[in-house]
Amino acid sequence: MKTPCPRCKRTLEQCGEVVVEGESFAVFQCDDCIEPMQFGGESFDAAYTFALRPDGTTFDPSADDLTE
Ligand SMILES: [Zn+2]
C-alpha cells in the first residue's frame, strides 16, 4: 500500500500497521519530514509517522488519545 505524504507529497510505502480498538490501520513514515519528539524528558528529531484511515484522513499512531 502507498500513499502521498500529507506534508511533502512524496509517495510513501507502508512501513507497518497499528491496531486501534480492533481495527487495523496502515502506518507510514516520511524520512523527509522530521519533527521533534518528546521522550523521557528529552527532545529529539524523528521521522514524521502517521496512520491512514480508510477515508483518507491521518492520525498520529503514537498519540496517547486517539479519539477525536
Ligand atoms: Zn513528507
Side-chain angles (χ1 to χ4, degrees), residues 10-63:
R10 189 161 73 91
T11 300
L12 303 174
E13 285 274 3
Q14 182 179 346
C15 71
E17 200 174 78
V18 66
V19 177
V20 180
E21 292 172 358
E23 271 194 89
S24 65
F25 301 93
V27 174
F28 299 86
Q29 202 170 53
C30 183
D31 296 326
D32 285 355
C33 296
I34 300 299
E35 59 176 23
M37 301 274 287
Q38 298 284 339
F39 186 77
E42 292 187 46
S43 119
F44 60 95
D45 290 338
Y48 175 50
T49 304
F50 62 93
L52 188 68
R53 291 191 182 91
D55 66 3
T57 59
T58 63
F59 63 95
D60 182 354
S62 65

